[in-house]
Amino acid sequence: MKAALAAAFIGMTALGAQPIRVIAFGAHPDDCDLGAAGVAAKFAQMGNAVKFVSVTNGDAGHQTMSGGELARRRRAEAMESARRLGITYEVLDNHDGELLPTLDVRKQIIRLIRQWNADVVISPRPNDYHPDHRYTGVLVQDASYMVVVPNVDPDTPPLHNNPVFLYYQDNFQRPNPFRPDIAVSIDDVYDKKIDALDAHVSQFYEWLPWVDHRLEQVPKDPAERKQWLAQQRQRRQITPEIRAALVKWYGPEKGNAVRQAEAFEICEYGRRPTEADIRRLFPMLGR
Ligand SMILES: [Zn+2]
C-alpha cells in the first residue's frame, strides 16, 4: 500500500501537480467517515493528503459506557478507521453533547486548518438537528477567512490563500435544502467506506442501533454484522439533484451509472472555485 501511494505521489509530482490537501471536520469521531470516507479513500489512493478531525471526543455517544473510557475507545476506533482509509485522524478533547461555538474552539479549528495547509475544508451545514453538528458548522464557517488573517491567532502562520470550504450532504430542508455542487462516484471505494464505518464498533453496532430501538437486529459475528451494515447503507438512494450533479461532472453515460456517491455544497465564505478549480481540486472527476 505504501509503495502504491508513493508511486501515485511520484506520478503526480512528475506531472507537476501538487498533492491536494483536504481537512474534514465532524462533531463526533464517526461523522467525517459518514460524509466523506469514500472521497477520502479516493484522494488518498491518488497520493493526496486527507485529515479527519472530530471536534468532540465522543464521550456521550453510548448507552452503557461514558466519560474517559468511552472517549479512549472512540479515539482508538477513529485511528483504526484512518489506518483503513490511508489518512490521518485527530480527535479534539472537547466534551460530546456540550460543544459551543466559542472563541477557544474556533482557534483550535483555525490552527488545524493552517497547520494542514488546507486546499479544501469540509464541515456540516449549520442547520443540522444535532447541536454539536450545528456548532461544528458554525465554528468552521467562523474559521473561514480568519485562517488568512495574520493577527488572528498569530502564533500559527496564516494561510496565503483562503481554502475552498464545502459542506457534507444532509437532508435538512430549512432554511434551504442541501445543494449538491460537487458529486463524486465512490463505487470503486464503497467497500473501503464500509471498512471505515466498521471500525466504529461502538457506534454502528451498539449506540446507533440502540437509539433506533433495533439493537437486537445486529448480528453478533463480526463478518455478518459488517455485511448487515453494508446492506443498511446500500438502501440509501441517490436523490434526483445528486444524479443531475453526477451527470454534470461525469457526463450522462457514467453519471447515470453511478450507484454510490458523496456530494458536497460550496460554502460562500471560502474561496469561490470555478469549474476548472473544482476539477483540479477533485482530480477523480477527470477533465
Ligand atoms: Zn455526530
Side-chain angles (χ1 to χ4, degrees):
M1 189 60 203
K2 268 189 179 153
L5 280 180
F9 181 78
I10 291 162
M12 292 187 64
T13 49
L15 293 169
Q18 290 290 319
I20 311 297
R21 301 189 64 82
V22 180
I23 189 165
F25 291 88
H28 308 113
D30 58 325
D31 293 355
C32 297
D33 313 57
L34 283 166
V39 164
K42 289 186 82 75
F43 271 116
Q45 282 176 353
M46 297 173 87
N48 303 291
V50 182
K51 179 169 188 166
F52 282 178
V53 177
S54 176
V55 182
T56 79
N57 60 17
D59 63 356
H62 204 269
Q63 68 277 30
T64 56
M65 293 175 79
S66 63
E69 186 191 13
L70 178 56
R72 280 190 295 279
R73 184 180 181 197
R74 296 197 66 182
R75 183 181 301 270
E77 290 172 346
M79 295 312 145
E80 175 60 17
S81 169
R83 193 187 64 76
R84 295 179 185 186
L85 291 171
I87 67 163
T88 301
Y89 216 127
E90 183 165 345
V91 179
L92 303 183
D93 211 8
N94 302 302
H95 283 302
D96 185 352
E98 300 182 3
L99 186 67
L100 290 171
T102 63
L103 191 53
D104 173 54
V105 185
R106 186 200 298 175
K107 286 185 174 184
Q108 294 173 23
I109 289 173
I110 290 171
R111 279 183 222 122
L112 285 164
I113 295 171
R114 287 176 174 176
Q115 287 161 354
W116 195 248
N117 195 18
D119 300 299
V120 177
V121 181
I122 313 176
S123 76
R125 293 198 303 154
N127 59 330
D128 195 284
Y129 78 103
H130 194 303
D132 290 349
H133 297 180
R134 207 153 56 226
Y135 294 137
T136 298
V138 170
L139 284 157
V140 176
Q141 281 185 341
D142 290 353
S144 70
Y145 181 64
M146 289 300 152
V147 294
V148 303
V149 179
N151 281 333
V152 170
D153 208 18
D155 290 346
T156 310
L159 293 182
H160 187 61
N161 295 310
N162 204 11
V164 171
F165 285 74
L166 303 176
Y167 299 122
Y168 302 109
Q169 181 192 344
D170 64 53
N171 57 14
F172 301 103
Q173 301 298 309
R174 294 179 184 178
N176 56 290
F178 169 82
R179 186 189 64 207
D181 294 317
I182 302 166
V184 179
S185 165
I186 59 161
D187 283 335
D188 59 339
V189 288
Y190 186 66
D191 291 350
K192 276 197 162 276
K193 178 161 187 169
I194 297 300
D195 276 348
L197 300 182
D198 174 69
H200 298 276
V201 173
S202 70
Q203 301 304 293
F204 294 102
Y205 304 130
E206 297 174 17
W207 167 239
L208 296 170
W210 184 84
V211 171
D212 289 344
H213 307 295
R214 52 194 185 101
L215 188 57
E216 72 289 346
Q217 291 177 14
V218 182
K220 295 283 174 282
D221 175 70
E224 280 177 31
R225 73 185 180 191
K226 189 172 172 182
Q227 209 172 13
W228 171 84
L229 176 64
Q231 283 163 359
Q232 302 288 311
R233 304 284 315 166
Q234 235 151 13
R235 290 194 197 141
R236 290 155 55 95
Q237 297 287 320
I238 290 182
T239 65
E241 293 78 15
I242 291 175
R243 181 66 68 195
L246 288 164
V247 167
K248 174 189 168 179
W249 291 105
Y250 291 91
E253 197 180 328
K254 275 192 190 171
N256 280 317
V258 173
R259 285 170 290 121
Q260 298 290 337
E262 284 172 352
F264 304 93
E265 176 175 332
I266 297 166
C267 165
E268 295 171 297
Y269 306 154
R271 188 158 71 81
R272 305 278 186 97
T274 63
E275 189 171 325
D277 290 335
I278 292 169
R279 289 199 188 274
R280 185 181 60 78
L281 291 169
F282 284 79
M284 64 288 285
L285 293 173
R287 303 280 159 208

